[in-house]
Structure formats: structure tokens, C-alpha cells
């Protein structure tokens, strides 16, 4: 089931520690494993644009991958600049919201 998106389900805050954290406008806190995020990149360098087949071999990604920075892409996504030099993937907020692990309760 997809979450119906509104301004309150847009990210309120995004920060990185040993994982990526998003506090959504409605107070939910989602956490994402950095290695999994990097391996799940859907850019044309990581996924074949025609077939949808994954090109990226997860074994080539450093298990200790770290972001060096990030930036919003419009109102719909986040670009993460990784310390392996990769930076072309856009992580859509709709997908992140659906896939994130939710902490119990709300964050104020």
C-alpha cells in the first residue's frame, strides 16, 4: 500500500550518522542502511535503462560506504554524493517513505 503524499509527508529533516535518517513532516522517523542505499541506486550506471536489469555488482560496493554530501532534487528526491565517487542516482521521497524502517511513535 502506498502512502498518500502531502506536504506533511515531505522530509522535515535529513541527516546522516551511521545510517541515513529522515524525519518526515508528519513526525515519522525512517532509517536507511547506507550500504543498502548505495546498492539500491536506480541510475543508468547501476540499472540497465532498457531491460531494468541491475548492472551494479553489490560485491564491488565497500560495506563501509559513506556519503560525502547530499542535495535535494526539486521537491521529489535526494541526490547522495558517495565516497566511491558515485553521485548520479536520485532517491525519490515516495520510494524512501514506502521502504524506510519506521521508529515507533513520533519525533517532535
Amino acid at each position: 500500500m502506498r502512502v498518500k503524499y502531502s506536504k506533511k509527508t515531505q522530509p522535515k529533516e535529513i541527516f546522516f550518522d551511521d545510517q541515513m535518517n529522515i524525519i518526515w513532516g508528519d513526525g515519522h522517523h525512517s532509517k536507511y542502511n547506507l550500504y543498502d542505499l548505495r546498492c539500491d541506486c536506480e541510475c543508468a550506471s547501476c540499472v540497465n535503462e532498457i531491460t531494468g536489469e541491475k548492472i551494479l555488482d553489490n560485491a564491488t560496493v565497500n560495506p563501509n560506504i559513506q556519503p560525502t554530501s547530499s542535495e535535494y532534487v526539486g521537491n521529489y528526491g535526494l541526490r547522495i554524493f558517495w565516497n566511491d565517487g558515485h553521485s548520479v542516482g536520485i532517491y525519490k521521497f515516495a520510494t524512501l517513505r514506502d521502504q524506510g524502517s519506521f521508529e515507533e511513535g513520533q519525533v517532535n
Side-chain angles (χ1 to χ4, degrees):
M1 173 183 225
R2 291 192 64 87
V3 174
K4 185 173 180 177
Y5 296 94
S6 66
K7 287 188 177 193
K8 73 178 190 174
T9 57
Q10 289 292 310
K12 180 178 174 183
E13 181 181 0
I14 299 174
F15 62 95
F16 296 89
D17 45 29
D18 59 341
Q19 55 198 345
M20 182 173 79
N21 295 267
I22 299 180
I23 298 173
W24 300 94
D26 64 358
H28 284 289
H29 182 180
S30 300
K31 297 181 178 186
Y32 307 86
N33 177 282
L34 297 174
Y35 174 81
D36 292 342
L37 273 176
R38 175 62 185 91
C39 291
D40 289 344
C41 180
E42 296 182 352
C43 79
S45 298
C46 296
V47 175
N48 183 298
E49 293 178 89
I50 305 298
T51 65
E53 180 182 346
K54 186 171 179 170
I55 299 168
L56 175 67
D57 177 0
N58 290 4
T60 65
V61 177
N62 182 332
N64 297 314
I65 190 81
Q66 292 292 313
T68 58
S69 64
S70 65
E71 66 184 13
Y72 285 91
V73 178
N75 290 316
Y76 72 94
L78 184 73
R79 179 186 325 270
I80 301 173
F81 296 84
W82 298 100
N83 63 356
D84 67 355
H86 192 71
S87 63
V88 295
I90 297 172
Y91 297 86
K92 295 176 185 172
F93 294 136
T95 303
L96 289 169
R97 177 67 189 224
D98 285 344
Q99 293 178 346
S101 65
F102 291 89
E103 294 295 298
E104 295 204 19
Q106 303 255 329
V107 176
N108 294 318

